[in-house]
Amino acid sequence: QESATKLARQGVLNLFSLLKARYTSVEEKRQLAILFSMISSPDLQPVREVRGLLGEIDNGTIAAIELLDLSGDAEDEEDKIIAREYFRLSSRQGGGFSKEDNQVIKVEPPAPLGDDYKPAKIRALMKPTTRILRIKVVDGGEGYTVPPDVIIK
């Protein structure tokens, strides 16, 4: 039973690969995603591959970055204080980054699903005081299906 299911799944994946190579337009990819999502057996349905195909169709990119102060969501006062320490709204609170440090901001790459994915590239513009002045999106990347995590160390 298990080897038959494994063989059947491999057949579905082979068919998916062949059809994906043949049909490359956005509408054709959408139709392939619909077709393979109709497979009723969860053991045979190529979920990751369909998700990758949908990521290629969406071709999401990062257009802007917005910093959110989530300290108001903290349960108690101690958690709010800790959260505020990690999120500075004022540049007068000290700190800053080295001008040579090019790893100040990291963007989570898109899931490597499908053929058309590439991580976004951003650059931190620093004040002379080594605080972040602006975050510039140099390249929005490709293949994002959800907003990525942006980490400022």
Side-chain angles (χ1 to χ4, degrees):
Q1 172 76 13
E2 188 175 312
S3 66
T5 302
K6 195 172 190 179
L7 189 60
R9 177 160 174 75
Q10 189 58 50
V12 169
L13 293 174
N14 289 346
L15 179 61
F16 182 87
S17 295
L18 289 170
L19 291 175
K20 183 180 171 204
R22 169 67 177 88
Y23 299 106
T24 57
S25 75
V26 171
E27 185 55 38
E28 291 168 338
K29 288 179 181 181
R30 183 176 291 115
Q31 293 301 320
L32 282 176
I34 292 169
L35 174 69
F36 281 91
S37 67
M38 289 185 184
I39 295 174
S40 59
S41 172
D43 295 332
L44 299 179
Q45 193 176 58
V47 175
R48 285 194 325 235
E49 290 76 8
V50 169
R51 185 179 300 142
L53 201 55
L54 293 173
E56 288 179 32
I57 293 168
D58 287 344
N59 193 16
T61 61
I62 298 174
I65 296 174
E66 179 182 353
L67 300 178
L68 302 174
D69 180 2
L70 300 177
S71 62
D73 294 343
E75 295 293 322
D76 59 20
E77 197 59 38
E78 184 178 334
D79 287 343
K80 285 183 183 182
I81 292 169
I82 292 170
R84 282 197 185 107
E85 287 177 7
Y86 286 103
F87 188 86
R88 295 184 308 209
L89 295 173
S90 170
S91 63
R92 294 187 177 126
Q93 292 178 327
F97 302 97
S98 166
K99 283 189 173 189
E100 289 78 37
D101 191 357
N102 57 3
Q103 295 296 319
V104 171
I105 301 173
K106 293 182 182 179
V107 177
E108 181 181 78
L113 304 169
D115 298 327
D116 299 325
Y117 69 93
K118 137 179 117 166
K121 294 179 184 174
I122 59 174
R123 186 172 53 131
L125 303 173
M126 309 295 254
K127 290 182 177 182
T129 59
T130 69
R131 290 186 178 83
I132 295 175
L133 172 65
R134 186 176 304 120
I135 299 171
K136 181 177 182 181
V137 178
V138 178
D139 181 353
E142 294 179 8
Y144 286 96
T145 57
V146 295
D149 289 336
V150 177
I151 301 163
I152 302 174
K153 68 173 182 174

